[in-house]
């Protein structure tokens, strides 16, 4: 099981020193970190899509058809010929599945990045990185009531509820229905805690901005501090909700 949370800082999880003082309570993720495997040396790239391509392929993203800088009006898509973790596990005899945010596909460069248009953009079957089962969305930043399409949903369909809850339930359903004799590899790609930070977070109340322990590099006493406190209060609530 590979769980990808978009935009979460490692230092904001309890297992990396976060928690109640700085960050959100994350007992479930902390338990997974304790029982699973933690990789502590890694390379990320300076934007979402290139980093996703690097994770999927283990390769420097420009080799997979993506620019390191996302330029409005240009294509930034994962090459259909890229060899991915989905391909590798399939070749090893695993049942493979991926649920959630994709952000590696072709999309209308004139369409807004936020909203239903982007969320309902279809990812063709031949461009799903070799996963046997695919169910998700290209983007849209809808932390609530996401649109999903894929293997069993030829047309985008809206699911009501907190996005992380919806994806976890859909992935659990796939796990229950699979052949227990076959090994499996499943990716669950959550958008939370990506902005908008003020979106509802499954009933988790936003932290009091005044109580947040700010890192030392936030200038005090001005707009930067006010913005940081306001956004972090929602950011931490989405981490807690995703946990």
């Amino acid at each position: 099981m590979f769980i990808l949370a978009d935009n979460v800082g490692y230092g904001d999880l309890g297992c990396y020193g976060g928690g109640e003082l700085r960050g959100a309570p994350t007992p479930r993720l902390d338990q997974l970190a304790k029982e699973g495997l933690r990789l502590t040396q890694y390379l990320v790239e300076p934007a979402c899509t290139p980093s996703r391509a690097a994770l999927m392929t283990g390769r420097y993203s420009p080799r997979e058809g993506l620019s390191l800088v996302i330029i409005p009006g240009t294509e930034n898509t994962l090459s259909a010929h890229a060899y991915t973790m989905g391909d590798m596990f399939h070749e090893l005899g695993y049942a493979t599945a991926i649920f959630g945010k994709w952000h590696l596909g072709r999309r209308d460069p004139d369409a807004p990045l936020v909203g239903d248009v982007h969320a309902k953009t279809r990812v063709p079957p031949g461009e799903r990185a070799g996963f046997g089962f695919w169910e998700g969305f290209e983007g849209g930043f809808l932390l609530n009531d996401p649109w999903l399409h894929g293997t069993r949903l030829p047309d985008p369909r809206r699911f009501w509820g907190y996005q992380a809850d919806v994806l976890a339930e859909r992935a659990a359903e796939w796990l229950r229905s699979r052949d227990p004799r076959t090994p499996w590899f499943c990716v669950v790609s959550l958008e939370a805690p990506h902005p908008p930070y003020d979106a509802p977070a499954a009933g988790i109340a936003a932290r009091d901005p005044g109580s947040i322990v700010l890192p030392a590099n936030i200038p005090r006493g001005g707009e930067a501090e006010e913005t940081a406190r306001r956004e972090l209060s929602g950011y931490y609530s989405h981490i807690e909700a995703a946990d």
Side-chain angles (χ1 to χ4, degrees), residues 136-152:
F137 51 92
E138 168 55 24
F141 307 110
L142 302 181
L143 300 184
N144 293 276
D145 307 330
W147 290 90
L148 302 180
H149 71 282
T151 303
R152 56 185 168 184

Side-chain angles (χ1 to χ4, degrees), residues 166-178:
V166 170
L167 296 177
E169 290 165 2
R170 302 290 287 180
E173 180 185 345
W174 178 82
L175 284 169
R176 288 192 296 267
S177 66
R178 67 180 183 83

Side-chain angles (χ1 to χ4, degrees), residues 9-30:
Y10 79 92
D12 294 321
L13 301 179
C15 57
Y16 286 106
E20 296 291 349
L21 286 178
R22 178 172 175 238
T26 54
R28 297 161 187 84
L29 291 173
D30 296 345

Side-chain angles (χ1 to χ4, degrees), residues 4-240:
L4 175 62
D6 197 334
N7 214 52
V8 63
Y10 79 92
D12 294 321
L13 301 179
C15 57
Y16 286 106
E20 296 291 349
L21 286 178
R22 178 172 175 238
T26 54
R28 297 161 187 84
L29 291 173
D30 296 345
Q31 187 70 17
L32 283 173
K34 181 179 178 181
E35 297 177 356
L37 178 68
R38 280 202 284 171
L39 306 177
T40 57
Q41 298 184 58
Y42 40 81
L43 169 72
V44 295
E45 303 192 28
C48 171
T49 297
S51 282
R52 287 174 176 274
L55 279 170
M56 280 286 171
T57 64
R59 290 166 59 87
Y60 192 50
S61 68
R63 296 184 179 183
E64 305 307 337
L66 290 101
S67 167
L68 278 174
V69 179
I70 306 301
I71 303 171
T74 65
E75 285 283 333
N76 270 283
T77 60
L78 180 66
S79 168
H81 305 294
Y83 184 77
T84 70
M85 61 173 69
D87 294 315
M88 181 188 73
F89 277 99
H90 173 74
E91 290 178 0
L92 292 171
Y94 283 65
T96 58
I98 185 167
F99 294 83
K101 182 175 180 177
W102 187 239
H103 220 210
L104 289 166
R106 290 176 290 164
R107 51 193 177 272
D108 181 355
D110 296 322
L113 287 176
V114 179
D116 287 358
V117 173
H118 197 184
K120 294 163 71 175
T121 297
R122 289 176 172 83
V123 177
E127 299 177 12
R128 296 174 181 174
F131 284 89
F133 187 97
W134 192 100
E135 186 171 285
F137 51 92
E138 168 55 24
F141 307 110
L142 302 181
L143 300 184
N144 293 276
D145 307 330
W147 290 90
L148 302 180
H149 71 282
T151 303
R152 56 185 168 184
L153 298 170
D155 296 314
R157 174 182 159 194
R158 187 153 226 172
F159 288 79
W160 304 103
Y162 189 59
Q163 184 199 104
D165 288 336
V166 170
L167 296 177
E169 290 165 2
R170 302 290 287 180
E173 180 185 345
W174 178 82
L175 284 169
R176 288 192 296 267
S177 66
R178 67 180 183 83
D179 184 346
R181 297 168 296 180
T182 303
W184 56 272
F185 176 68
C186 180
V187 177
V188 179
S189 177
L190 311 177
E191 203 156 36
H194 198 287
Y197 296 129
D198 59 354
I204 303 296
R207 184 96 47 93
D208 174 12
S211 70
I212 291 173
V213 178
L214 293 175
N217 63 344
I218 301 295
R220 300 310 200 262
E223 183 179 352
E225 178 180 359
E226 180 182 347
T227 300
R229 290 188 179 279
R230 182 181 67 252
E231 294 198 344
L232 284 171
S233 67
Y235 166 77
Y236 290 143
S237 67
H238 282 289
I239 293 177
E240 185 175 353

